[in-house]
């Protein structure tokens, strides 16, 4: 609490001086003219109520620090019990007594307008000095009381002059206390008086306005005819109101234009006639009104519903969109609560959460199932926010609502369609996965990507064809059960297919224990690269057979499979063969038959190449020529080449090491040897090596 001082009223003179001090105090604390005038009006009203002014009406002034900021405290004591009217109490954010019951005192608090938070930001010392400074009347009264004997010597002229001065001061106090700019103008359009508000409003010093033409405050485009308006006014000699709608403009010293309301009053004395112009700057007021108008139009024309209720939920406003959505007209809902929309199907807990949220000063968002006037249910998406009063308390709520019924229906339809589509895609995926087992991956991908048309079309391309077969398959499997044969054959074909797909081969077909693979369609890396990749794949297959045979032996199969491979490069017909109802993607031609013939002349676990293939890969592999052979359908002699070193450096390049001849059979799988089994393997080999050396020395 900061004490500023007090004002005492004993008579009319002290009242006028106290009122002037209160006005200056308000200006020193940053109040605008409107609020300053309200303060002086409050003071006048309370003094008017107290008819016993001779008893002394006292007004104590202080600064109080509230949570909202600094506030001016006004405490007034009366000579008796008085009831303060509501028009006075409404001037303050807080006051006591709050109601209008009789009371010997009145206390009001008015928040300071400036956003300052500490008293040091205000000229407290100067304000105290101003309030403590006695008025001339008080000094005169003091002198008069001390020098009563001189009172009779004051002549009538001095009393008259004092009365005139008092009258002038009272007039000045009134003129300075009004919230508007006041100017007096004579018949010649010259300014003869301005109050401080006029100086502030227009930016001119008092001496810059006195004796000057009123035209300096008039927009340039109007000046040429303005003096005619002045003459017309004086000729009519009647009061006049100009531009109460704020469309009249005035010009300040800086050249800025402001919107003003103007009232003209005609005054005629013995000496001269003049006009008093009361001018109010309504620029900010018009801007605020325009903003409110725009916001009102936004709400009125908004396609979503807008509802405003008081703190208790009573509806005070709805926009046209609300009526369109709910079917209720404006008169049917004003004064009611939103319960009229309750469908009874929204859980009570949601409403409890809603009210707890908005009453705590926070916004709530959610969806509600409501009911229209005709009983139809609809879903709305609501955002409800609190509105705070000047004291920071929740006074109203505003709700923005959107009918999302069709959106939810559309979403449900999209979800249902998406679910059906997912199920259908899943079914198609399973079917596609099943179908892929019957086609080479390259062919399958080409068909489903659209790169290959499903029609009876073939092309002639240069391909590298691999034909593989199991040596003596029938003899090898004579003593096996059908289940064992099925397992061995499927295991063999699966392992070889994995190697083929890893190298990018197109799997043409399985013919019993035989496989037909080729490179060059539907995708080709070039004839030479296709041939080299095919040979490398064949080597990988034969090397992998070493591990497969070892596995089969461990499973109890005494005579595991041995594979032969033939590879040829040449032109073949490739594409879809068959009928419109059933077709097969395959290759045909003599070059395919040559690959099969090369396989038959190959050694077990060997790879036989045609000269055409050998010529393409000879820089990368080692092969030896074999005796020429004849192939049915091919008139020339065929010169085959046996691939050498299929298992060369296999211990460096593969996980397996294999060595086999009469009296010796060695097989190692390095991937299966770990830190525990490797030492045992080393000991076994060292023991075998020692025995070999010993037997060699004995012989």
């Amino acid at each position: 609490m900061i004490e500023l001082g007090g004002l005492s009223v004993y008579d009319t003179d002290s009242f006028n001086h106290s009122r002037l001090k209160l006005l200056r105090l308000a200006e020193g604390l940053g109040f605008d003219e409107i609020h300053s005038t309200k303060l002086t009006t409050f003071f006048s009203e309370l003094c008017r109520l107290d008819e016993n002014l001779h008893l002394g009406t006292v007004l104590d002034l202080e600064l109080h620090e509230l949570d909202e900021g600094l506030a001016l405290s006004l405490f007034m004591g009366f000579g008796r019990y008085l009831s303060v009217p509501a028009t006075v109490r409404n001037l303050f954010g807080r006051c006591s007594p709050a109601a209008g019951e009789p009371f010997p005192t009145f206390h009001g608090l008015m928040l300071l307008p400036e956003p300052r938070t500490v008293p040091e930001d205000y000229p407290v010392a100067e304000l105290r000095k101003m309030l403590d400074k006695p008025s001339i009347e008080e000094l005169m009264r003091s002198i008069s009381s001390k020098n009563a004997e001189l009172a009779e010597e004051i002549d009538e002229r001095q009393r008259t002059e004092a009365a005139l001065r008092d009258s002038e001061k009272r007039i000045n106090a009134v003129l300075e206390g009004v919230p508007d700019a006041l100017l007096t103008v004579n018949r010649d359009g010259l300014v003869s008086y301005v109050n401080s508000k006029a100086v502030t409003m227009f930016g001119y010093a008092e001496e810059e306005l006195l004796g000057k033409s009123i035209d300096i405050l008039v927009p340039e485009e109007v000046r040429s005819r303005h003096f005619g308006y002045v003459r017309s006014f004086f000729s009519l000699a009647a009061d006049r109101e100009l531009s109460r709608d704020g469309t009249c403009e005035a010009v300040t010293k800086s050249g800025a234009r402001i919107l003003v309301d103007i009232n003209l009053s005609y005054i005629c004395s013995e000496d001269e006639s003049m006009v008093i112009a009361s001018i109010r700057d309504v620029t900010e007021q018009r801007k605020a009104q325009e903003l409110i108008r725009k916001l009102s139009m936004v709400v009125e024309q908004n396609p979503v519903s807008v509802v405003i209720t008081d703190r208790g939920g009573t509806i005070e406003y709805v926009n046209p969109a609300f009526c369109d959505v709910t079917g209720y007209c404006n008169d049917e809902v004003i004064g009611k609560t939103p319960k009229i929309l309750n469908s009874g199907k929204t859980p009570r807990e949601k409403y409890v959460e809603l009210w707890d949220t908005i009453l705590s000063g926070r916004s709530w968002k959610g969806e509600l199932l409501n009911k229209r006037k005709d009983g139809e249910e609809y879903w709305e998406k609501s955002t409800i926010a609190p509105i705070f009063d000047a004291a920071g308390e929740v006074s109203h709520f505003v709700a923005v609502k959107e009918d999302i019924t069709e959106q939810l229906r559309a979403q449900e339809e999209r979800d249902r369609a998406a679910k059906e589509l997912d199920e259908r895609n899943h079914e198609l995926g399973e079917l596609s996965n099943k179908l892929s087992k019957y086609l080479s991956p390259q062919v399958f991908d080409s068909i489903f990507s659209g790169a290959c048309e499903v029609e009876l079309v073939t092309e002639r391309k240069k391909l590298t064809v691999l034909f593989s077969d199991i040596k003596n398959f029938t003899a090898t499997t004579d003593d096996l059960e059908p289940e064992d044969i099925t397992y061995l054959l499927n295991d063999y074909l699966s392992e070889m297919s994995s190697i083929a797909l890893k190298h990018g081969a197109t799997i043409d077909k399985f013919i019993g224990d035989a496989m037909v693979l080729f490179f060059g369609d539907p995708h080709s890396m070039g004839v030479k690269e296709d041939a080299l990749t095919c040979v490398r794949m064949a080597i990988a297959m034969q090397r992998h057979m070493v591990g497969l045979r070892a596995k089969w032996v461990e499973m109890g199969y005494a005579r595991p499979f041995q594979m032969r491979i033939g590879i040829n490069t040449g032109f073949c017909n490739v594409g879809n063969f068959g009928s419109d109802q059933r077709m097969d993607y395959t290759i045909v031609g003599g070059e395919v038959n040559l690959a099969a013939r090369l396989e038959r002349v190959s050694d077990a676990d060997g790879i036989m190449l045609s000269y055409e293939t050998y010529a393409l890969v000879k820089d990368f592999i080692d092969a030896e020529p074999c005796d020429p052979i004849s192939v049915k359908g091919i008139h020339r002699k065929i010169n085959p080449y046996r691939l050498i070193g299929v298992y060369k450096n296999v211990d460096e390049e593969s996980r397996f090491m294999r060595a086999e001849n009469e009296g010796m059979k060695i097989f190692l799988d390095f991937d299966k040897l770990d830190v525990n089994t490797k030492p045992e393997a080393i000991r076994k080999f060292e023991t075998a090596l020692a025995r070999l050396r010993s037997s060699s020395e004995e012989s």
Side-chain angles (χ1 to χ4, degrees):
M1 180 186 72
I2 307 295
E3 183 176 355
L4 297 175
L7 299 174
S8 298
V9 180
Y10 297 92
D11 52 22
T12 303
D13 292 335
S14 60
F15 161 75
N16 287 333
H17 286 289
S18 297
R19 190 172 182 275
L20 182 57
K21 286 182 178 181
L22 184 60
L23 182 63
R24 291 174 178 170
L25 173 67
E27 292 175 348
L29 293 176
F31 288 99
D32 58 20
E33 289 74 8
I34 294 176
H35 286 83
S36 299
T37 302
K38 287 182 178 181
L39 279 175
T40 56
T41 302
F42 141 77
F43 182 69
S44 301
E45 287 291 321
L46 292 183
C47 288
R48 183 181 60 79
L49 291 173
D50 189 2
E51 298 173 354
N52 298 318
L53 289 177
H54 62 279
L55 297 178
T57 300
V58 179
L59 176 64
D60 291 325
L61 301 166
E62 299 172 344
L63 288 179
H64 284 198
E65 294 186 69
L66 305 179
D67 292 339
E68 301 90 333
L70 286 176
L72 175 62
S73 168
L74 301 97
F75 185 91
M76 193 163 188
F78 311 116
R80 59 193 178 91
Y81 279 77
L82 294 176
S83 295
V84 179
T87 55
V88 174
R89 287 185 282 106
N90 291 340
L91 294 175
F92 300 93
R94 301 180 185 178
C95 63
S96 64
E101 65 269 26
F103 215 74
T105 61
F106 176 79
H107 184 211
L109 289 172
M110 180 177 289
L111 289 173
L112 300 190
E114 295 295 330
R116 302 167 181 161
T117 57
V118 293
E120 288 77 11
D121 292 329
Y122 293 89
V124 175
E126 289 80 354
L127 295 175
R128 284 175 176 164
K129 184 176 179 181
M130 182 271 294
L131 292 173
D132 290 340
K133 183 178 180 180
S135 66
I136 295 177
E137 289 74 19
E138 291 170 333
L139 291 175
M140 292 294 293
R141 188 181 296 109
S142 175
I143 294 173
S144 179
S145 64
K146 293 179 182 179
N147 303 284
E149 67 278 5
L150 298 178
E152 295 178 356
E153 298 179 7
I154 300 176
D155 58 21
E156 184 64 25
R157 187 165 181 262
Q158 290 174 321
R159 288 195 298 271
T160 302
E161 290 177 355
L164 289 174
R165 287 195 299 271
D166 290 344
S167 177
E168 183 180 356
K169 290 177 181 177
R170 285 193 294 270
I171 293 174
N172 284 334
V174 172
L175 295 178
E176 291 296 325
V178 297
D180 300 334
L182 296 178
L183 301 91
T184 60
V185 181
N186 62 21
R187 286 181 173 274
D188 296 326
L190 302 179
V191 178
S192 57
Y193 169 82
V194 293
N195 69 350
S196 59
K197 178 60 180 176
V199 171
T200 303
M201 181 183 296
F202 295 107
Y204 289 98
E206 183 178 359
E207 57 272 17
E208 291 179 298
L209 290 171
L210 295 177
K212 302 298 191 300
S213 172
I214 190 66
D215 286 352
I216 64 174
L217 305 179
V218 177
E220 186 174 354
E221 64 271 15
V222 183
R223 290 177 185 173
S224 60
R225 57 184 184 275
H226 184 258
F227 187 69
Y229 298 154
V230 175
R231 286 184 175 275
S232 174
F233 178 82
F234 278 99
S235 65
L236 293 173
D239 294 350
R240 188 176 178 186
E241 184 179 282
L242 300 180
S243 182
R244 291 297 292 175
D245 59 355
T247 58
C248 188
E249 288 187 330
V251 180
T252 67
K253 182 178 180 179
S254 66
R257 295 195 175 201
I258 58 175
L259 296 174
V260 293
D261 285 341
I262 303 174
N263 280 292
L264 302 178
S265 299
Y266 180 77
I267 298 177
C268 184
S269 65
E270 294 180 358
D271 298 331
E272 64 176 339
S273 58
M274 65 182 66
V275 59
I276 297 179
S278 176
I279 305 173
R280 177 170 296 181
D281 183 354
V282 295
T283 305
E284 295 303 320
Q285 177 184 342
R286 292 296 180 267
K287 288 181 179 178
Q289 290 174 345
E290 179 63 16
L291 178 60
I292 292 173
R293 187 191 68 81
K294 290 178 180 178
L295 292 176
S296 176
M297 293 299 293
V298 168
V299 173
E300 284 289 308
Q301 299 177 12
N302 204 304
V304 299
S305 302
V306 178
V307 181
I308 298 177
T309 72
D310 63 12
R311 183 181 174 91
T314 302
I315 297 174
E316 296 183 357
Y317 169 83
V318 296
N319 70 341
F322 173 89
C323 300
D324 294 340
V325 171
T326 64
Y328 288 99
C329 66
N330 192 290
D331 294 338
E332 291 177 307
V333 295
I334 299 299
K336 305 288 178 43
T337 69
K339 289 182 180 179
I340 62 174
L341 303 176
N342 195 334
S343 66
K345 295 185 179 181
T346 300
R348 181 178 178 277
E349 294 76 12
K350 179 167 284 192
Y351 289 113
V352 172
E353 176 203 352
L354 185 158
W355 279 102
D356 288 345
T357 301
I358 61 178
L359 286 174
S360 67
R362 295 177 289 122
S363 297
W364 181 88
K365 294 181 180 180
E367 295 178 359
L368 301 171
L369 179 57
N370 285 341
K371 183 172 62 176
R372 308 184 206 273
K373 182 180 179 180
D374 61 6
E376 179 188 3
E377 294 179 351
Y378 70 100
W379 281 97
E380 71 173 17
K381 185 182 193 179
S382 298
T383 298
I384 305 175
I387 300 174
F388 301 94
D389 58 19
E393 299 294 331
V394 175
S395 62
H396 291 77
F397 300 106
V398 58
V400 179
K401 303 162 171 279
E402 180 183 4
D403 184 353
I404 59 171
T405 307
E406 292 304 319
Q407 295 179 24
L408 293 179
R409 287 176 183 168
Q411 185 60 48
E412 289 177 359
E413 182 65 23
R414 288 194 295 270
D415 292 343
R416 183 190 62 76
K419 182 179 179 181
E420 292 180 355
L421 182 60
D422 287 342
E423 292 174 351
R424 184 60 177 165
N425 286 339
H426 180 70
E427 294 174 358
L428 291 175
E430 290 183 344
L431 178 60
S432 174
N433 187 52
K434 292 175 182 178
L435 290 175
S436 68
K437 306 297 183 182
Y438 293 90
L439 295 172
S440 176
Q442 296 91 330
V443 177
F444 181 84
D445 292 341
S446 297
I447 292 174
F448 278 85
S449 67
C452 178
E453 296 294 334
V454 182
E455 55 185 357
L456 294 174
V457 175
T458 62
E459 295 182 85
R460 185 167 175 79
K461 291 185 177 181
K462 195 167 190 178
L463 309 177
T464 295
V465 184
L466 180 147
F467 194 99
S468 69
D469 194 11
I470 301 298
K471 180 183 178 183
N472 299 325
F473 177 76
T474 302
T476 303
T477 58
D478 274 346
D479 56 349
L480 294 177
E481 295 296 330
E483 293 81 3
D484 291 330
I485 297 174
T486 300
Y487 166 75
L488 286 173
L489 188 57
N490 286 340
D491 191 27
Y492 159 72
L493 293 175
S494 295
E495 293 292 327
M496 296 301 107
S497 295
S498 295
I499 295 173
L501 296 178
K502 181 179 178 181
H503 285 77
T506 299
I507 300 176
D508 182 15
K509 62 176 68 71
F510 301 126
I511 308 172
D513 59 309
M515 295 176 64
V516 180
L517 316 174
F518 61 87
F519 288 82
D521 193 75
H523 305 295
S524 175
M525 298 172 285
V527 175
K528 187 170 186 177
E529 188 64 28
D530 288 342
L532 182 59
T533 303
C534 184
V535 172
R536 287 172 175 168
M537 178 187 70
I539 294 172
M541 287 177 168
Q542 289 291 22
R543 290 182 176 181
H544 192 67
M545 284 295 293
V546 176
L548 283 177
R549 283 195 291 272
K551 180 180 76 171
W552 294 333
V553 170
E554 290 178 1
M555 294 174 65
Y557 298 107
R559 292 186 293 175
F561 294 158
Q562 289 182 293
M563 181 173 63
R564 298 179 302 196
I565 296 176
I567 301 175
N568 177 41
T569 300
F571 282 95
C572 305
N573 289 329
V574 57
N576 294 324
F577 293 84
S579 66
D580 291 336
Q581 293 76 28
R582 172 71 170 86
M583 61 185 67
D584 188 18
Y585 179 85
T586 186
I587 55 176
V588 297
E591 304 299 334
V592 181
N593 298 332
L594 176 54
R597 183 72 176 90
L598 291 171
E599 176 270 321
R600 284 193 291 273
V601 299
S602 174
D603 298 328
D605 303 330
I607 301 172
M608 191 68 74
L609 310 178
S610 68
Y611 173 77
E612 287 76 6
T613 302
Y614 169 72
L616 293 170
V617 301
K618 62 183 179 180
D619 294 335
F620 304 95
I621 55 97
D622 189 13
E624 60 182 5
C626 300
D627 295 336
I629 61 174
S630 298
V631 178
K632 186 177 181 181
I634 299 178
H635 301 293
R636 70 181 187 280
K637 289 290 185 177
I638 302 301
N639 298 314
Y641 284 79
R642 180 186 295 109
L643 190 64
I644 299 174
V646 174
Y647 303 100
K648 182 180 180 181
N649 298 325
V650 70
D651 54 331
E652 298 177 2
E653 300 175 7
S654 172
R655 57 182 280 191
F656 305 110
M657 186 180 82
R658 174 183 180 276
E660 184 177 355
N661 57 29
E662 189 69 28
M664 181 186 73
K665 190 172 185 179
I666 299 174
F667 174 78
L668 287 178
D669 186 341
F670 288 98
D671 284 357
K672 291 184 178 180
L673 293 175
D674 55 24
V675 293
N676 297 319
T677 57
K678 280 183 180 179
E680 178 65 21
I682 293 172
R683 285 193 296 272
K684 292 289 186 181
F685 273 97
E686 287 178 344
T687 300
L689 183 60
R691 292 184 61 182
L692 283 172
R693 287 174 176 168
S694 176
S695 61
S696 177
E697 291 174 356
E698 291 176 358
S699 60

